[in-house]
C-alpha cells in the first residue's frame, strides 16, 4: 500500500496579472468567492483529504496570505464579547495549527515545475499533493479526497483529469491515454499546452496532483519547456515507464477556472446559489436580468 499523503504544495507565486488592477495590492488567492478567499477553498479541500502540512510557494507581494492564515485574537475576542458565535466559529475554522504552514519564496518566475521544486527540501522522500488554488472544484466529495482514495489502490503518480473541448486542449497539460479504466486511466504520454492539432486526446490535466518524490529528482534535470518555463507536466511525463507509473483521475465535480474572469464570476454565482442564505435573492435577481436581456434582444 502506498505511503499516506500528508503534505501539500500550493503554488501561489503567480502575479495574477489577469486581475489587474485588483492584484496590484491584493494577492489573487485572497480574492473572495462569496465571502471566502480562493485559497481557503484549497486549504479546506486539502484538510478533507488528510493533509497535515501545507507548503505555500510564494513570491514578492504575497504577505497578505501569511496574515490571512494567522490567528486574530483581537477579532476573536470582539466577536466573543458581542456574542457573535456563528461568525466566531467561521473565523476559528480558518485558524491553522502552529507549525502546519510553511512559506517558501520562489525568487524568479521560472514556471510551475520550478515552483514545486522550490519546496523539495520540505518534502524529502515521500509522496505529496499539489493543489493549484486557481482551479476551484465543487464536489460532493472533495476532489483531492477522491484522488487520495484512488491513489491508495494505484500508487505511482496521479493527476486530476477532465475532458475539455478539442479547441481548448492547448490551454492545458494533455494526456495520452494508454488504458482507460473508467475513472482511472493509465497514461503513456503528457504534453504541456500542445497545438490543437497535436493534442494526443482531449483529456486535460486539472490542478490537483499526487506525486512521487521522484518528480522532484526529475525537476533537478528538466529544461524549460512550453512557454520557456520549467513545466511540472514534463517532470511527471519523465516518470512514465518507470516504477512510478502515471495515472489520470476523472474526478466527480465541477471545475471552475478562477484564473480567468469569466470562470471566477461563474464560480461566484455557483457557490452563492449553493448557499441557503443567498440562493433565493440571487436566483430571483438572475431571472430578472435574464428576462430583461431577452426582452432587449
Ligand atoms: C497549469 C498546468 C497545466 C494544467 C493547468 C490546469 O497550467 O501547467 O498542465 O492543465 O494548470 O489548470 P496554467 O493554467 O498554470 O498555465
Amino acid at each position: 500500500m502506498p505511503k499516506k499523503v500528508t503534505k501539500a504544495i500550493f503554488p501561489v507565486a503567480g502575479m495574477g496579472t489577469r486581475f489587474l488592477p485588483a492584484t496590484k495590492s491584493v494577492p489573487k488567492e485572497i480574492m473572495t468567492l462569496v465571502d471566502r478567499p480562493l485559497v481557503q477553498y484549497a486549504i479546506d479541500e486539502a484538510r478533507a483529504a488528510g493533509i497535515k502540512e501545507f507548503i505555500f510557494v510564494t513570491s514578492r507581494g504575497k504577505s497578505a496570505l501569511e496574515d490571512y492564515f494567522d490567528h486574530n485574537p483581537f477579532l476573536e475576542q470582539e466577536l466573543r464579547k458581542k456574542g457573535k458565535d456563528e461568525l466566531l466559529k467561521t473565523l476559528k475554522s480558518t485558524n491553522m495549527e502552529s507549525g502546519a504552514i510553511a512559506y517558501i519564496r520562489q525568487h524568479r518566475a521560472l514556471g510551475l515545475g520550478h515552483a514545486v521544486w522550490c519546496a523539495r527540501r520540505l518534502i524529502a522522500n515521500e509522496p505529496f499533493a499539489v493543489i493549484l488554488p486557481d482551479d476551484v472544484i465543487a464536489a460532493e466529495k472533495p476532489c483531492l479526497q477522491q484522488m487520495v482514495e484512488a491513489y491508495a489502490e494505484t500508487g505511482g503518480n496521479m493527476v486530476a483529469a477532465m475532458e475539455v473541448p478539442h479547441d481548448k486542449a492547448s490551454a492545458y497539460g494533455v494526456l495520452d491515454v494508454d488504458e482507460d479504466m473508467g475513472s482511472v486511466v493509465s497514461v503513456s504520454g503528457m504534453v504541456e499546452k500542445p497545438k490543437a492539432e497535436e493534442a494526443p486526446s482531449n483529456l486535460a490535466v486539472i490542478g490537483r496532483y499526487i506525486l512521487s518524490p521522484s518528480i522532484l529528482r526529475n525537476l533537478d534535470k528538466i529544461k524549460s519547456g512550453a512557454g520557456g518555463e520549467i513545466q511540472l507536466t514534463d517532470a511527471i511525463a519523465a516518470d512514465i515507464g518507470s516504477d512510478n507509473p502515471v495515472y489520470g483521475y476523472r474526478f466527480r465535480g465541477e471545475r471552475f477556472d478562477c484564473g480567468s474572469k469569466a470562470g471566477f464570476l461563474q464560480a461566484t454565482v455557483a457557490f452563492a446559489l449553493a448557499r441557503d442564505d443567498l440562493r433565493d435573492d440571487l436566483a430571483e435577481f438572475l431571472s430578472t436580468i435574464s428576462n430583461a436581456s431577452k426582452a432587449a434582444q
Side-chain angles (χ1 to χ4, degrees), residues 2 22 34 60 95 126 147 171 179 183 200 221 231 240 257 273 275:
V34 189
R60 184 171 293 275
N95 285 350
E126 36 185 306
M147 289 174 71
E179 196 185 341
S183 53
K221 296 175 239 137
Q231 296 292 351
I240 294 170
D257 172 13
L273 286 175
R275 290 254 302 242

Side-chain angles (χ1 to χ4, degrees), residues 135-188:
D135 281 333
V136 174
I137 300 172
E140 220 161 276
K141 182 184 282 186
C143 179
L144 191 64
Q145 191 182 346
Q146 297 175 34
M147 289 174 71
V148 162
E149 287 170 13
Y151 171 82
E153 306 287 325
T154 63
N157 296 285
M158 183 172 276
V159 301
M162 179 181 105
E163 259 86 23
V164 298
H166 271 287
D167 61 333
K168 297 277 186 312
S170 48
Y172 297 91
V174 180
L175 301 179
D176 199 349
V177 175
D178 180 24
E179 196 185 341
D180 195 331
M181 296 161 275
S183 53
V184 176
V185 303
S186 71
V187 170
S188 56

Side-chain angles (χ1 to χ4, degrees), residues 54-68:
F54 304 79
I55 303 163
F56 284 81
V57 182
T58 70
S59 60
R60 184 171 293 275
K62 298 280 178 164
S63 45
L65 271 172
E66 294 191 34
D67 287 341
Y68 175 76

Side-chain angles (χ1 to χ4, degrees), residues 112 132 135 172-173 192-193 205-207 209 231 233 255:
L112 177 61
L132 308 186
D135 281 333
Y172 297 91
E192 180 67 15
K193 311 227 164 65
V205 176
I206 299 303
Y209 307 78
Q231 296 292 351
T233 299
R255 174 255 185 179

Side-chain angles (χ1 to χ4, degrees), residues 209-284:
Y209 307 78
I210 298 177
L211 300 176
S212 145
S214 55
I215 300 306
L216 299 172
R217 294 191 289 276
N218 298 347
L219 282 166
D220 282 335
K221 296 175 239 137
I222 289 286
K223 302 261 180 314
S224 50
E229 299 192 335
I230 297 173
Q231 296 292 351
L232 184 58
T233 299
D234 295 342
I236 301 170
D239 254 14
I240 294 170
S242 77
D243 293 345
N244 299 306
V246 179
Y247 299 97
Y249 180 78
R250 287 192 185 95
F251 56 92
R252 295 173 303 281
E254 192 175 355
R255 174 255 185 179
F256 298 94
D257 172 13
C258 289
S260 78
K261 285 174 211 172
F264 200 97
L265 289 169
Q266 287 159 14
T268 303
V269 173
F271 280 92
L273 286 175
R275 290 254 302 242
D276 292 342
D277 56 335
L278 298 170
R279 185 180 307 115
D280 293 351
D281 280 355
L282 183 61
E284 195 187 321

Side-chain angles (χ1 to χ4, degrees), residues 55-101:
I55 303 163
F56 284 81
V57 182
T58 70
S59 60
R60 184 171 293 275
K62 298 280 178 164
S63 45
L65 271 172
E66 294 191 34
D67 287 341
Y68 175 76
F69 286 119
D70 204 354
H71 293 213
N72 190 333
F74 176 74
L75 190 52
E76 284 177 19
Q77 196 188 340
E78 288 303 299
L79 293 176
R80 202 170 294 115
K81 257 199 271 176
K82 294 190 173 125
K84 299 200 165 169
D85 296 339
E86 271 310 302
L87 281 179
L88 184 62
K89 209 165 106 197
T90 305
L91 184 66
K92 287 177 103 173
S93 74
T94 64
N95 285 350
M96 301 295 283
E97 197 195 321
S98 294
I101 300 199

